[in-house]
Amino acid sequence: KNRQNKKEKIVERIKNRKKKLKKFKITNYEITSEKISQELRFVMISDWHNVIFGERNKPVFEAIQKINPDAILIAGDLVLGKQEAPLLPALESLKELIKTAPVFYAPGNHEQRMKRYPQNYEASFLEYETQIKKLGVHYLENEQEVLLVKGEKIQIHGLKLPYEYYKKGSKKAKTGPKEEELKTLLGKPDENEFHILLAHTPRYAKEYFNWGADLTLSGHYHGGVLRLPFGGKGALSPDFVLFPKYCYGLFKKGEQKLITGSGLGEHTIPIRIANPRELVVISCKPKRK
């Protein structure tokens, strides 16, 4: 019995040590726009995938509280779409996040997979979706919500692409969505208002720009797993595409911007080389004419 107790204590210590070793950094971006008159601050989260930091993710929640954002924007894959993976970690995280700021959440391919194939998962995604909406989370599947803050009116869209766009080698994945398809899914943006698009995969950045997003937030590529020392280019996507475009960082087309985060977690390839987990902070400032 004593030997068993010692073994259990050792296992518990190892688990706690692993939790403590999970670290993340905070990455700051500053953008400007003529469409806003007050400085706004957002936290963007992507690809958390049930990874736990410290004791019940307290380091993450405390960091966000210090940032004091006007909204928390989730660009998909908060969950881990594996058969045995629970939805409770994501639900518990949202319960804490909603205490700090309004939360806007668009699906990633893991959310879409769990909802599309419920027979493959022990946990019910529909029940999870119902619960997070009761919390006050704005879960956006090709929907738009207005954020009213500091006298500003910000249009926030959550994109849910047809699942075929995530399938490697599919015709749709190769061609990408047409502008008219995005207008059908998301509506037509008002040129006079500031539009934020939560679009999980950055693969179709050109299409997002053409649609008219002022700021697009993406994840999906986990920062490229391995980031090269020169230029910070990501080497590999989770679907095994080498040197994927728009893999990580800030991209621009005129006044439009796309930010791809490296995410807070990982799953199938549990490796990060020169590619730390991150929280993304975006300061949106008025651009003087």
Side-chain angles (χ1 to χ4, degrees):
K1 186 176 180 180
N2 289 335
R3 186 177 294 176
Q4 181 64 27
N5 288 338
K6 285 181 181 179
K7 185 177 179 181
E8 289 175 358
K9 286 180 180 179
I10 291 170
V11 170
E12 188 63 29
R13 283 175 190 167
I14 292 171
K15 286 181 180 179
N16 290 335
R17 187 178 178 189
K18 285 183 177 180
K19 287 181 180 180
K20 289 178 182 177
L21 289 174
K22 296 287 187 184
K23 295 181 180 179
F24 64 93
K25 72 169 188 173
I26 295 175
T27 304
N28 291 279
Y29 294 96
E30 183 177 304
I31 68 169
T32 60
S33 175
E34 295 178 351
K35 297 180 180 181
I36 58 174
S37 59
Q38 301 288 329
E39 181 177 350
L40 303 175
R41 186 179 299 151
F42 303 110
V43 164
M44 189 269 274
I45 294 171
S46 70
D47 305 280
W48 200 336
H49 291 306
N50 287 3
V51 169
I52 304 296
F53 298 87
E55 183 184 349
R56 300 180 67 179
N57 285 318
K58 281 186 179 180
V60 179
F61 303 138
E62 289 173 356
I64 294 174
Q65 288 166 4
K66 287 180 182 178
I67 294 163
N68 191 28
D70 294 298
I72 297 168
L73 309 174
I74 301 174
D77 280 6
L78 198 67
V79 305
L80 178 60
K82 301 284 186 180
Q83 188 173 15
E84 70 285 357
L87 287 166
L88 186 60
L91 179 61
E92 293 297 319
S93 294
L94 290 168
K95 285 179 180 178
E96 291 299 320
L97 294 173
I98 200 71
K99 295 175 184 178
T100 300
V103 176
F104 297 83
Y105 176 4
N109 56 304
H110 282 242
E111 282 90 358
Q112 286 189 232
R113 187 191 311 153
M114 294 186 80
K115 191 169 181 176
R116 182 183 176 98
Y117 305 108
Q119 69 277 11
N120 295 339
Y121 302 96
E122 295 176 10
S124 168
F125 189 85
L126 288 177
E127 184 179 340
Y128 165 78
E129 186 178 346
T130 299
Q131 289 187 56
I132 66 174
K133 287 181 177 179
K134 285 182 179 178
L135 291 174
V137 173
H138 302 273
Y139 187 67
L140 306 176
E141 293 183 314
N142 296 329
E143 295 170 291
Q144 171 186 355
E145 294 275 2
V146 176
L147 172 65
L148 298 173
V149 60
K150 297 179 181 177
E152 301 292 328
K153 182 181 178 183
I154 308 299
Q155 305 286 349
I156 302 179
H157 306 256
L159 176 62
K160 178 185 176 183
L161 285 170
Y163 194 68
E164 287 71 24
Y165 284 109
Y166 288 105
K167 290 185 176 180
K168 187 178 180 181
S170 75
K171 185 177 179 181
K172 282 196 170 187
K174 290 178 181 178
T175 59
K178 304 298 183 184
E179 185 178 341
E180 287 305 312
E181 183 176 6
L182 288 181
K183 285 181 180 178
T184 300
L185 295 173
L186 296 168
K188 186 177 179 181
D190 186 332
E191 294 180 358
N192 298 312
E193 295 186 351
F194 190 81
H195 291 262
I196 297 176
L197 174 62
L198 306 179
H200 182 60
T201 175
R203 180 171 183 170
Y204 309 113
K206 289 183 180 179
E207 286 78 4
Y208 306 151
F209 286 140
N210 290 338
W211 174 74
D214 296 290
L215 173 62
T216 301
L217 302 179
S218 298
H220 189 51
Y221 288 152
H222 300 183
V225 182
L226 160 66
R227 203 173 300 156
L228 301 180
F230 302 104
K233 190 172 183 180
L236 184 68
S237 72
D239 53 357
F240 305 106
V241 174
L242 290 173
F243 305 109
K245 199 171 182 180
Y246 308 110
C247 181
Y248 175 79
L250 173 65
F251 304 90
K252 300 179 182 180
K253 180 185 177 183
E255 295 299 309
Q256 297 172 288
K257 287 91 177 177
L258 177 140
I259 294 172
T260 305
S262 68
L264 276 172
E266 59 279 322
H267 53 95
T268 306
I269 309 176
I271 300 170
R272 284 178 175 266
I273 302 173
N275 174 34
R277 304 173 187 87
E278 69 173 1
L279 274 180
V280 175
V281 180
I282 305 138
S283 296
C284 300
K285 297 184 176 181
K287 184 176 182 179
R288 305 303 174 189
K289 296 182 181 180

